[in-house]
Amino acid sequence: MPLEQAIQAQISSYMSKKGFYVVKVITANRAGVPDIVACAPDGRFWAVEVKRPGQKPSKLQLAHLRMVTKAGGVALWADSLEEFINFLEAV
């Protein structure tokens, strides 16, 4: 099973290749902040919480994703590059 860090690296790299400005959050000033924050080529803010296959975000992490969506950004959680790509293609 791939490590969360490996999945984060795959997603970050893919986003960069698609023209996103990507930041991998290592330490944040508040708990629950998504692992990846980015600005899409169209200017929209993106937040991605990454999990290992079979794991799910905590209630706090889900709350942060909802806050991003409520503010007009795009927020999701993914446990693989393929899942992220499917979401990106559907948006």
Side-chain angles (χ1 to χ4, degrees):
M1 181 177 330
L3 295 176
E4 188 174 303
Q5 289 175 322
I7 300 166
Q8 288 173 4
Q10 291 173 341
I11 292 173
S12 293
S13 177
Y14 185 84
M15 292 177 85
S16 292
K17 289 176 185 171
K18 291 293 186 180
F20 284 74
Y21 169 76
V22 181
V23 176
K24 169 37 185 117
V25 178
I26 296 171
T27 304
N29 64 349
R30 56 171 41 170
V33 172
D35 298 307
I36 300 169
V37 294
C39 185
D42 66 5
R44 286 190 299 171
F45 179 85
W46 280 62
V48 183
E49 181 61 40
V50 179
K51 292 294 176 192
R52 291 179 75 180
Q55 295 184 342
K56 297 187 189 248
S58 69
K59 289 180 182 179
L60 182 58
Q61 290 168 328
L62 290 171
H64 278 277
L65 295 176
R66 283 191 299 273
M67 285 187 275
V68 169
T69 301
K70 185 177 178 183
V74 178
L76 71 141
W77 69 274
D79 63 10
S80 69
L81 174 60
E82 292 74 25
E83 185 175 14
F84 175 80
I85 292 170
N86 289 338
F87 183 90
L88 178 64
E89 290 175 353
V91 174

